[in-house]
Amino acid sequence: MNRDISNLRKFVSPEIIFGAGARCSVANYAKNFGARKVLVVSDKGVREAGWVEEISQLLTNEEIEHVVFDAVSANPRAEEVMAGAQIYQEHNCNVIVAVGGGSPMDCAKGIGIVCANGKHILDYEGIDTIHLPIPPLIFIPTTAGTSADVSQFAIISDPVEKVKISIVSKAVVPDVALIDPETTITMDPFLSACTGVDALVHAIEAFVSTGAGPLTDMHALDAMRLIKDNIVTLVEQPKDIYLREQVMLGSMKAGLAFSNAILGAVHAMAHSLGGYKDLPHGLCNAILLEHVIDFNYSEAEDRFKVVAETMGIATKGLNTSQIKVALRNKVVQLKQDVGLDQKLKDNGVTISDIPVLSDHALQDPCILTNPRKSNKRDVEVVYEEAL
Ligand SMILES: [Fe+2]
């Protein structure tokens, strides 16, 4: 019997432990994976916040040998992945624990890829390029936004070419995500805003993606509700653990949605921007969001209507163009409320940068699932509107 497989959907996820104190089971999971020696991947900021020391102590308490690698930049670089892989091999490690935001987590995925598959990290750009299984990954996120702890994405910067490469493979879905809202309490308001808006963009892009389906829609819609209801208050009250938990749950759900439905033009263009100008990922998304919604709206009106309603807009009696304007205004207001109302030019981008930014964006895998097909001029116009 011939069946159309284009409607089939798969859903991958790590084992997830969610809630305050989840990080405390790190040693237990490392033992379960038969840890001989653990490579702990983090960065200097997370170390200064005290989380590396705590995880290290938890491993020591269970007599699990480990070595820390924290030479990871805000946008993790290819040479940092290769340096981490060398340390993993020199110390004969067999389990990786990542503690931190998207940068250490993506770097840890890269280290795992290189150690198991042998070539340079930049050789694995693209979709399903990883052929050998990578070492066990136990991830403890300390931000609520990137969702590298649940996703099949790893984003690595190539500073020579000034691009970010996307690696998409179920091989990089972590084995265990210990998602503990207490770890996000050390984020400052700017980072809380950037990561929260990143998570909101994950949810919106996953919902309007051409790869969306019933397995991802429920997570995407829950994520939108949780983030829009809590992110503004959280930025005002960053120590509120209830708000931290709500936004982290939203981020996790957005991560499950986008990991499986993939993303769209906001992320393709944000990856290009972040690689070229070394800017925070969430800020890049925030700058571009309403302009990409404007571009995409006509190709996914029904989906965007649901997005608008989920974001709290009463659509009854409104026509399509009124809903579009209301959604745009809602997004712009939310960005202003969390302090992310910058433009591209505020971050050193000029009109002459736009052709090369557009070339890079069109090569990013996230552009493939954008609801509206786009050519170079389309992408240039969106960048110009965000300038
Ligand atoms: Fe993102």
Side-chain angles (χ1 to χ4, degrees), residues 55-105:
I55 297 305
S56 180
Q57 190 60 53
L58 288 165
L59 293 171
T60 301
N61 290 348
E62 296 298 322
E63 299 179 342
I64 298 170
E65 282 192 53
H66 55 280
V67 56
V68 176
F69 173 70
D70 68 357
V72 182
S73 304
N75 287 308
R77 299 169 178 206
E79 71 263 24
E80 294 165 351
V81 171
M82 300 312 289
Q86 193 175 349
I87 290 175
Y88 179 97
Q89 286 163 336
E90 282 172 1
H91 286 264
N92 198 21
C93 298
N94 67 340
V95 171
I96 299 175
V97 170
V99 190
S103 302
M105 290 194 282

Side-chain angles (χ1 to χ4, degrees), residues 114-317:
V114 170
C115 290
N117 290 267
K119 292 194 285 186
H120 193 278
I121 189 61
L122 297 176
D123 292 330
Y124 298 101
E125 181 176 12
I127 299 169
D128 290 336
T129 60
I130 318 296
H131 299 301
L132 296 174
I134 71 176
L137 300 177
I138 303 170
F139 278 17
I140 304 166
T142 60
T143 64
T146 69
S147 297
D149 47 295
V150 297
S151 83
Q152 55 177 333
F153 282 67
I155 312 294
I156 306 294
S157 283
D158 174 357
V160 178
E161 297 295 326
K162 289 185 160 186
V163 295
K164 282 184 170 185
I165 66 153
S166 296
I167 298 168
V168 187
S169 167
K170 67 180 176 184
V172 300
V173 176
D175 296 275
V176 179
L178 304 176
I179 305 178
D180 187 338
E182 289 180 352
T183 65
T184 66
I185 211 92
T186 47
M187 282 199 291
D188 63 33
F190 177 70
L191 186 56
S192 299
C194 282
T195 52
V197 170
D198 184 26
L200 180 65
V201 176
H202 292 157
I204 294 173
E205 291 216 286
F207 190 73
V208 302
S209 161
T210 58
L215 297 177
T216 54
D217 284 353
M218 58 182 179
H219 291 301
L221 295 173
D222 270 356
M224 284 177 223
R225 273 185 219 104
L226 284 161
I227 296 162
K228 71 97 175 148
D229 283 347
N230 295 289
I231 186 65
V232 175
T233 328
L234 175 63
V235 171
E236 292 164 2
Q237 301 168 32
K239 300 295 180 198
D240 188 314
I241 194 66
Y242 172 78
L243 296 173
R244 288 280 175 208
E245 186 171 289
Q246 296 301 294
V247 172
M248 193 135 204
L249 186 61
S251 166
M252 183 202 79
K253 284 175 167 281
L256 292 171
F258 92 77
S259 176
N260 291 284
I262 317 298
L263 292 158
V266 181
H267 269 77
M269 295 174 69
H271 290 155
S272 169
L273 196 51
Y276 197 65
K277 291 288 182 186
D278 203 18
L279 297 170
H281 172 66
L283 178 63
C284 296
N285 280 327
I287 292 171
L288 296 163
L289 177 57
E290 70 266 26
H291 306 289
V292 175
I293 290 176
D294 277 347
F295 174 74
N296 281 338
Y297 203 95
S298 61
E299 290 296 312
E301 288 175 357
D302 291 347
R303 302 293 279 180
F304 277 118
K305 184 180 179 196
V306 177
V307 171
E309 288 164 347
T310 308
M311 292 294 288
I313 295 164
T315 61
K316 196 171 179 195

Side-chain angles (χ1 to χ4, degrees), residues 352-369:
S352 61
D353 295 323
I354 288 179
V356 66
L357 286 171
S358 304
D359 280 336
H360 293 165
L362 285 171
Q363 288 163 22
D364 191 282
C366 293
I367 204 80
L368 299 174
T369 45

Side-chain angles (χ1 to χ4, degrees), residues 19-33:
R23 67 190 184 280
C24 298
S25 49
V26 62
N28 201 22
Y29 276 99
K31 265 188 185 167
N32 289 349
F33 287 121

